[in-house]
Amino acid sequence: MESSDVELDLQRSVQAVLRELSSQAPALQNNQGMWRWSLHKKVERDPGKSPVLVRILLRELEKAESEDLRHVIIPLLHTLLYVLTKATGITEELYRRTYNFCTRLLTLPAPYCTVALDCAIRLKTETAVPGTLYQRLVIAEQNLTSEMYPYQERVFLFVDPELVSPSVCSALLLEIQAAQAQQTPEACMRHVVSHALQAVLGDACHASALQRKLKASPRHALERYFHAVVAAVEQMAGEPNPNREGHLERLEEIYCSLLGPAAAATESCCGDPLQDPQPSIPLPSPHITFHLWTDEEQLWKELVLFLRPRSRLRLSADLEALDLQGLWPDRELARASLLSTDSGIERDLPAGADELPVPSSPEMERAGLQRKGGIKKRMWPPDILMPACWDGPQGLHRRTGMPSGDGELLPGVSRLHTARVLVLGDDRMLGRLAQAYHSLRKRETQKFCLTPRLSLQLYYIPVLAPEELPSCRHSELRELATFLGRADPWYQSTVNTLCPAIHKLAEMPPSLDTSRTVDPFILDVITYYVRMGTQPIYFQIYTVKIFRDLSQDPAEDIFLTELKVKIQDSKFPKDGFAPRRKGAAEGPGAELSICYQKALLSHRAQEVSSSLRATGLVLKALPASDTEGSGPTHAPPSAAPVIDHRYLNVNVMEVVKSSNLAGRSFSTVMNTFRTATIQIQSQDQRLLTLLLDKDSRRTYRDVVRFEVAPCPEPCSGMHKSKAPWLGSPQPEVEGTKAKPKPLLMPINTFSGIVQ
């Protein structure tokens, strides 16, 4: 195919992706997600098309910038970065143009500046040392051993067998197994060596001969070449002023040692690119483990096993007795510090006082043994329990984060592991994920073993049962997915459209032949999502206290999306309850006492108390979707509305009594208000039934009273410190009162909330 034909074909594919983002036509919605996938497949099968596609994407990005078409900038930027990660032979001029474009986006508001900053950081490294992004991605995702780059990642795919059909589970498992059967460690090491040499040597590298030589090399020789290439690339990437000529000479030495000096010179001189096209170097899909979610503690168990392999850790029935000594070599560094008694004047400090001692030095050991009259207290504040990638302000918001595997929460403890937890299901599955996330955060306040070493990223793909797809319950069970689609158009186009494709995959006859090359659409989209979905949207978790007996302690639970209240037909005993008012007619529903804090624009506290008769009520944590379809012409109809997401939307079906000539009659009217906290109690003899997150397995019956409030971060708020007071008994000294920090659960998208 001629170059003009190649460019025209790729231009048509890019335009199809742009039309998909800008149009709501049903014909285009049926193929949503396929255009991006087919575009990447074209350059994957023919790597020589990559520079042409990069030029086209850059041209479209510059056009979107000049015409202020912001809704296509982030999708095009993600597509461009994904191509640059896998491609070789990209000129320095294209890298520079892309980097300059990203720097211009830094003047735009979030999330454009956030995504552009992340892309600019990666591009700067890739421009200095071509092939770095590919190498680091394969090493981390495939858990290849490397001292120069020790980071590891794993994708945990969780499916609730009670919510997802067995055919879907087996189809996904077979597709994952078929793809990973071809991704042996030897094959991944060959890909890393080939990609690094081609990216740096360019046309001087004969790719076909190189790959033939690598396939014929024994394991020990392949490992030697792999470690040599990784060391050369990482040392070059770590230098402040990289010497590209020295890096080129070093990789040329590795290339010549592979093919031999004479063969390398012959191949580079005689190789004809027209007769011998550049072979494709695939980017292997990440290591994915498939889990049926049957145990409440399963997420925590799998994360512990990720840090400590099963051969070195035996899970006991009593999870509190689990031996985690290997995870705490540096616990003394975070155990305690000494209360400072210096004058606060810099000149009074001894020489070298601003230098921290080495963790294993005698100075550190003596500091741990001597009290010096100080007060023992924890070195980290409660806020440190929340990792940088989990932190965020109140409400649904995105903050600029660090690379997922970098950073230290404690001195000397590096977070080298990244766990990408992907859940499939509907809102009920997300409610279960919120329970596990809350349990994990609560457990970390006691053991603090995972947070310093593990970066946790959460992802969500909506999948509904086939019988629920055409029904009205379809929209009820995927409210959070609908919100994510409105907030992030690229998530809507790429992820929210996967459900029909997954069910089509489940209907296809299984293929047990793992020797053939597979081209899986579902797995490729999952891979693209977990790699490029780096911008989380934070959702408030709410706690509910449930009273079945006012004289006893309440039960506690949490919910993420919805709490539905129904009035039971049964009644509780009359003892201990006020008699009904004289003349009050027995109508439908129950008499409820409601006390809540009204949501005001000034965020001031205003308590409201009322008593009314209602047939039921619903507390929703997500905003209503009645604003869909509105917005300026430059923004797609799926853009999220700019509203406050920090409050519950309460819908009460109130019973209204009316009198006429025919007698008394009752009607219902919907009352809606917004609040952050609410307490509801039944005033007559009717009991309540609570349904959390639309999950029938989380139903509470015979409820008299319940209280809902934002779930606080474990161990946040007020903290007490005890002073010895020279041994005399004294009351506890209370620390400063701090407003409890809300517990927010992040779900990764491509851009966060696009305003």
Side-chain angles (χ1 to χ4, degrees):
M1 186 182 294
E2 297 182 359
S3 59
S4 59
D5 296 334
V6 170
E7 184 173 358
L8 183 61
D9 179 58
L10 293 176
Q11 181 71 36
R12 288 172 179 168
S13 299
V14 173
Q15 291 298 324
V17 174
L18 297 178
R19 286 195 303 270
E20 178 183 284
L21 286 168
S22 305
S23 174
Q24 299 296 314
L28 290 176
Q29 290 181 358
N30 293 334
N31 294 322
Q32 277 189 336
M34 293 293 296
W35 298 112
R36 181 211 60 81
W37 179 75
S38 61
L39 180 64
H40 285 297
K41 284 299 173 183
K42 287 180 180 180
V43 295
E44 184 178 303
R45 297 186 182 110
D46 188 357
K49 298 179 180 179
S50 297
V52 181
L53 180 57
V54 170
R55 292 185 182 276
I56 294 174
L57 292 173
L58 265 175
R59 189 164 57 241
E60 294 295 334
L61 279 169
E62 292 166 350
K63 177 182 177 182
E65 181 190 21
S66 61
E67 299 180 3
D68 200 22
L69 301 175
R70 295 187 181 181
H71 68 283
V72 303
I73 287 180
I74 291 179
L76 287 176
L77 203 56
H78 279 309
T79 305
L80 176 59
L81 186 63
Y82 205 61
V83 173
L84 290 175
T85 302
K86 298 191 291 185
T88 58
I90 305 298
T91 63
E92 189 174 352
E93 179 261 339
L94 288 177
Y95 279 124
R96 189 182 304 109
R97 281 180 57 191
T98 308
Y99 180 79
N100 292 336
F101 177 81
C102 291
T103 56
R104 292 198 302 270
L105 293 183
L106 297 179
T107 60
L108 297 180
Y112 304 101
C113 61
T114 307
V115 177
L117 177 61
D118 182 42
C119 294
I121 293 173
R122 300 189 195 188
L123 284 169
K124 188 174 183 180
T125 304
E126 184 70 12
T127 305
V129 189
T132 306
L133 296 181
Y134 180 95
Q135 174 177 293
R136 290 178 174 179
L137 196 63
V138 175
I139 292 175
E141 289 182 347
Q142 304 301 324
N143 298 161
L144 300 179
T145 304
S146 173
E147 294 182 358
M148 300 297 297
Y149 194 76
Y151 297 94
Q152 295 186 10
E153 297 182 5
R154 184 173 298 174
V155 179
F156 299 85
L157 179 58
F158 281 94
V159 177
D160 192 334
E162 298 185 22
L163 303 179
V164 180
S165 64
S167 59
V168 170
C169 295
S170 7
L172 289 173
L173 182 60
L174 285 176
E175 181 160 324
I176 292 172
Q177 290 176 342
Q180 294 186 348
Q182 307 168 19
Q183 298 174 184
T184 61
E186 293 81 3
C188 294
M189 286 189 286
R190 287 197 298 267
H191 297 332
V192 169
V193 175
S194 298
H195 189 276
L197 294 177
Q198 289 187 41
V200 175
L201 301 181
D203 295 336
C205 174
H206 194 276
S208 300
L210 176 63
Q211 292 191 9
R212 288 194 299 267
K213 180 63 177 179
L214 288 173
K215 287 183 179 179
S217 300
R219 172 68 184 259
H220 64 89
L222 181 61
E223 288 182 350
R224 187 173 69 252
Y225 292 125
F226 167 75
H227 290 300
V229 167
V230 171
V233 172
E234 290 300 327
Q235 288 176 5
M236 178 72 172
E239 294 179 0
N241 298 313
N243 182 6
R244 303 194 68 170
E245 294 181 359
H247 181 60
L248 177 61
E249 292 178 0
R250 189 170 182 181
L251 290 185
E252 282 179 346
E253 291 178 1
I254 298 175
Y255 178 71
C256 292
S257 65
L258 263 167
L259 297 181
T266 303
E267 296 288 358
S268 60
C269 295
C270 303
D272 188 357
L274 297 178
Q275 301 296 329
D276 191 7
Q278 181 181 1
S280 173
I281 303 176
L283 179 59
S285 59
H287 181 58
I288 302 177
T289 57
F290 188 88
H291 307 275
L292 295 178
W293 202 334
T294 56
D295 184 4
E296 293 182 358
E297 302 291 343
Q298 190 169 355
L299 175 60
W300 183 80
K301 290 179 182 178
E302 296 298 336
L303 294 180
V304 170
L305 289 175
F306 177 40
L307 291 179
R308 293 287 301 272
R310 193 178 299 271
S311 60
R312 298 171 56 193
L313 177 67
R314 184 178 64 86
L315 286 176
S316 62
D318 184 7
L319 296 177
E320 297 299 331
L322 195 60
D323 178 19
L324 294 172
Q325 282 187 342
L327 300 178
W328 265 110
D330 306 297
R331 74 168 70 192
E332 290 301 326
L333 291 176
R335 180 183 177 187
S337 65
L338 295 177
L339 187 64
S340 175
T341 57
D342 60 18
S343 64
I345 302 174
E346 186 175 355
R347 66 167 178 254
D348 292 344
L349 294 175
D354 57 341
E355 299 179 2
L356 292 176
V358 180
S360 58
S361 64
E363 290 81 4
M364 178 62 76
E365 295 179 2
R366 287 195 298 269
L369 296 175
Q370 296 176 2
R371 291 294 303 274
K372 296 182 182 178
I375 300 174
K376 281 276 187 177
K377 62 180 183 179
R378 290 185 181 275
M379 188 178 68
W380 63 82
D383 293 356
I384 203 171
L385 292 179
M386 179 175 287
C389 61
W390 295 351
D391 197 9
Q394 293 187 2
L396 305 181
H397 186 68
R398 166 68 183 129
R399 66 182 286 275
T400 302
M402 299 171 58
S404 59
D406 293 342
E408 292 185 359
L409 291 180
L410 293 178
V413 183
S414 299
R415 298 168 65 200
L416 303 178
H417 294 72
T418 299
R420 306 190 184 276
V421 178
L422 172 65
V423 296
L424 268 66
D426 49 37
D427 289 350
R428 296 170 291 183
M429 183 63 172
L430 287 171
R432 190 165 187 178
L433 176 64
Q435 281 185 307
Y437 184 75
H438 176 262
S439 175
L440 178 65
R441 302 292 300 120
K442 191 174 181 180
R443 187 186 295 274
E444 282 295 283
T445 63
Q446 303 168 0
K447 287 187 174 293
F448 201 62
C449 58
L450 296 180
T451 304
R453 300 180 179 276
L454 181 71
S455 173
L456 179 63
Q457 308 288 323
L458 302 181
Y459 302 82
Y460 169 55
I461 294 179
V463 175
L464 297 179
E467 60 270 12
E468 294 169 348
L469 288 176
S471 64
C472 61
R473 187 167 169 77
H474 166 73
S475 58
E476 295 179 0
L477 291 176
R478 54 173 297 166
E479 285 184 344
L480 194 140
T482 303
F483 174 82
L484 291 176
R486 297 201 314 270
D488 184 356
W490 198 227
Y491 181 92
Q492 171 67 26
S493 175
T494 306
V495 178
N496 267 354
T497 55
L498 265 185
C499 185
I502 290 176
H503 287 294
K504 288 181 181 179
L505 175 67
E507 295 171 359
M508 296 173 59
S511 176
L512 301 179
D513 184 12
T514 59
S515 60
R516 64 182 183 88
T517 302
V518 295
D519 208 10
F521 171 70
I522 305 297
L523 184 59
D524 284 349
V525 176
I526 290 176
T527 300
Y528 179 79
Y529 176 35
V530 298
R531 283 173 178 164
M532 308 306 294
T534 58
Q535 312 299 317
I537 296 178
Y538 292 90
F539 293 89
Q540 173 68 63
I541 297 177
Y542 290 89
T543 180
V544 52
K545 295 182 179 180
I546 303 167
F547 296 83
R548 288 192 173 98
D549 189 340
L550 297 179
S551 62
Q552 298 181 0
D553 293 335
E556 291 192 18
D557 206 338
I558 63 168
F559 69 93
L560 182 68
T561 58
E562 179 184 285
L563 169 61
K564 181 175 288 187
V565 183
K566 296 182 179 180
I567 311 299
Q568 296 181 193
D569 294 332
S570 59
K571 300 180 180 180
F572 46 68
K574 298 181 180 180
D575 298 339
F577 293 91
R580 197 174 53 202
R581 298 189 310 270
K582 185 177 181 180
E586 177 102 15
E591 194 77 16
L592 302 179
S593 173
I594 301 178
C595 179
Y596 63 94
Q597 185 175 336
K598 190 174 182 180
L600 300 175
L601 292 177
S602 61
H603 301 293
R604 295 177 180 175
Q606 179 180 345
E607 296 290 339
V608 178
S609 299
S610 64
S611 181
L612 52 85
R613 178 168 288 275
T615 59
L617 64 153
V618 180
L619 285 70
K620 287 186 175 293
L622 298 176
S625 59
D626 52 0
T627 55
E628 285 186 62
S630 63
T633 55
H634 66 270
S638 56
V642 184
I643 57 177
D644 196 345
H645 305 289
R646 291 182 292 172
Y647 297 101
L648 288 167
N649 298 292
V650 183
N651 302 318
V652 183
M653 291 299 298
E654 183 179 358
V655 177
V656 179
K657 181 181 66 174
S658 60
S659 300
N660 49 38
L661 295 177
R664 292 173 178 171
S665 62
F666 299 92
S667 60
T668 58
V669 61
M670 175 73 74
N671 286 335
T672 302
F673 57 90
R674 296 167 62 234
T675 180
T677 61
I678 187 171
Q679 300 90 36
I680 298 179
Q681 181 173 335
S682 177
Q683 292 294 95
D684 54 16
Q685 301 176 28
R686 294 287 187 181
L687 295 172
L688 309 177
T689 297
L690 307 185
L691 180 65
L692 304 182
D693 286 325
K694 310 163 192 175
D695 194 344
S696 59
R697 298 169 295 182
R698 301 177 60 197
T699 302
Y700 292 88
R701 303 184 183 278
D702 303 333
V703 177
V704 178
R705 172 187 173 89
F706 67 93
E707 302 174 358
V708 176
C711 182
E713 177 73 24
C715 283
S716 68
M718 172 148 60
H719 313 283
K720 296 181 179 180
S721 59
K722 295 183 178 180
W725 296 106
L726 301 178
S728 60
Q730 292 288 341
E732 292 183 353
V733 179
E734 292 189 355
T736 58
K737 290 187 177 180
K739 185 178 180 181
K741 193 173 184 179
L743 178 60
L744 308 176
M745 187 177 79
I747 296 180
N748 279 21
T749 62
F750 296 102
S751 63
I753 296 181
V754 178
Q755 301 289 359

